[in-house]
């Protein structure tokens, strides 16, 4: 993988970085993170300018995420509402996704690109849930800058241990995905228990009011 990417860099230059990162962030399953790690290593060998790699990767990430956002907003929403039930996305779950992005969309977009799997779909989901574009654009830009800086520097300083580096980065991404899923499950359980408790309290108040009215009669 590394040798092939380095040959692409030598042949096509920074375009590989730009399109690799952009397509991944637009929702196409391209190994954008691996490409950026290799670009950082290529810069360490004196073949790329480190700061240009970061800037180009950030630009590709921002453009790709915005494309994914608008695809999700214009096409994804209708698709989810029409076909989502076939994959378990009921109207209630879609509504829950809307509420989640309304409450936590900014934090999700900021950290999503560091999480394996979520990086590809976060922008699409944000668009589908009708997350406000100004909020999305701001946190997407901040996340793109941070991600480009971190991943490029990791490749720059540790690229010589490529096999170990690739496994470590992917492993960290999978751990982050597991943590994110666990947090979502916990939040869902807590929210459901809270709603159930509120329903029981409301039922108790109604019964109490009915009892008081029957006594007064």
């Amino acid at each position: 993988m590394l040798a092939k990417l380095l040959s692409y860099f030598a042949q096509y230059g920074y375009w590989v970085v730009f399109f690799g990162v952009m397509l991944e962030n637009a929702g196409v399953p391209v190994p954008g993170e691996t490409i950026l790690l290799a670009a950082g290593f290529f810069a360490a060998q004196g073949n790329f300018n480190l700061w240009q790699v970061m800037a180009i990767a950030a630009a590709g990430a921002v453009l790709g995420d915005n494309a994914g956002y608008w695809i999700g907003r214009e096409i994804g929403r209708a698709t989810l509402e029409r076909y989502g039930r076939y994959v378990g996305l009921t109207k209630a779950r879609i509504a829950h996704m809307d509420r989640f992005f309304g409450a936590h969309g900014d934090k999700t977009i900021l950290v999503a690109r560091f999480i394996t799997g979520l990086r590809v779909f976060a922008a699409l989901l944000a668009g589908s849930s009708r997350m406000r574009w100004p909020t999305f654009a701001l946190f997407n830009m901040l996340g793109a800058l941070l991600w480009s800086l971190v991943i490029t520097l990791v490749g720059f300083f540790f690229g010589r241990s490529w096999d170990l580096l690739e496994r470590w980065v992917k492993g960290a991404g999978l751990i982050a995905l597991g943590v994110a899923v666990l947090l979502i499950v916990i939040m869902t359980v807590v929210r459901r228990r809270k709603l159930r408790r509120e329903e029981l309290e409301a039922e108790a108040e109604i019964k109490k009011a009915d009892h008081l009215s029957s006594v007064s009669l």
Side-chain angles (χ1 to χ4, degrees), residues 8 13-14 26 29 35 39 43 55 59 61 75 79 83 86 91 93 99 122 133 161 164 180-182 191 195 203 216:
Y8 288 156
Y14 294 104
I35 291 172
I75 301 174
T79 302
Y83 301 109
Y86 297 116
K91 289 184 178 180
R93 287 175 178 169
R99 290 192 296 271
W133 182 79
S161 304
L164 178 62
V181 170
L182 180 62
R191 182 176 176 277
L195 289 174
E203 290 175 2
S216 63

Side-chain angles (χ1 to χ4, degrees), residues 1-3 34 37 41 158-171:
M1 171 67 80
L2 178 60
T34 301
L37 284 170
F41 176 60
F158 303 105
R160 294 190 182 280
S161 304
W162 178 257
D163 292 336
L164 178 62
L165 173 63
E166 194 175 23
R167 287 199 300 270
W168 183 85
V169 170
K170 288 182 178 179

Side-chain angles (χ1 to χ4, degrees), residues 3-213:
K4 185 178 292 187
L5 287 174
L6 296 182
S7 68
Y8 288 156
F9 293 150
Q11 187 172 0
Y12 301 108
Y14 294 104
W15 290 111
V16 179
V17 179
F18 177 76
F19 282 109
V21 171
M22 184 186 71
L23 290 173
E24 184 188 46
N25 284 271
V28 180
V30 174
E33 188 172 68
T34 301
I35 291 172
L36 188 53
L37 284 170
F41 176 60
F42 205 54
Q45 295 178 318
N47 299 299
F48 273 168
N49 179 279
L50 181 65
W51 299 105
Q52 281 185 266
V53 171
M54 293 178 186
I56 289 169
V62 169
L63 290 175
D65 272 338
N66 275 278
Y69 173 89
W70 289 107
I71 290 171
R73 189 177 181 91
E74 299 300 324
I75 301 174
R77 183 67 182 201
T79 302
L80 285 179
E81 291 177 348
R82 187 170 183 179
Y83 301 109
R85 63 182 182 275
Y86 297 116
V87 293
L89 287 176
T90 61
K91 289 184 178 180
R93 287 175 178 169
I94 293 174
H96 178 69
M97 182 183 74
D98 292 343
R99 290 192 296 271
F100 177 83
F101 270 92
H104 308 288
D106 50 358
K107 298 181 285 292
T108 301
I109 293 301
L110 184 62
V111 303
R113 64 186 68 252
F114 290 95
I115 301 176
T116 300
L118 188 56
R119 179 170 55 254
V120 179
F121 299 108
L124 292 169
L125 293 174
S128 298
S129 68
R130 298 287 198 269
M131 182 180 176
R132 293 180 64 253
W133 182 79
T135 302
F136 170 84
L138 173 61
F139 285 90
N140 171 53
M141 184 179 298
L142 293 174
L145 291 171
L146 182 60
W147 177 76
S148 300
L149 176 69
V150 170
I151 300 302
T152 304
L153 288 177
V154 169
F156 184 86
F157 288 112
F158 303 105
R160 294 190 182 280
S161 304
W162 178 257
D163 292 336
L164 178 62
L165 173 63
E166 194 175 23
R167 287 199 300 270
W168 183 85
V169 170
K170 288 182 178 179
L174 288 172
I175 291 172
L177 177 62
V179 171
V181 170
L182 180 62
L183 289 175
I184 291 172
V185 170
I186 292 173
M187 290 170 61
T188 301
V189 171
V190 171
R191 182 176 176 277
R192 286 180 178 176
R193 287 184 176 179
K194 181 180 178 182
L195 289 174
R196 181 57 181 162
R197 185 168 61 251
E198 291 175 351
E199 289 175 358
L200 292 174
E201 290 175 354
E203 290 175 2
E205 289 294 329
I206 292 172
K207 289 179 180 179
K208 182 179 179 180
D210 290 342
H211 176 70
L212 290 175
S213 62

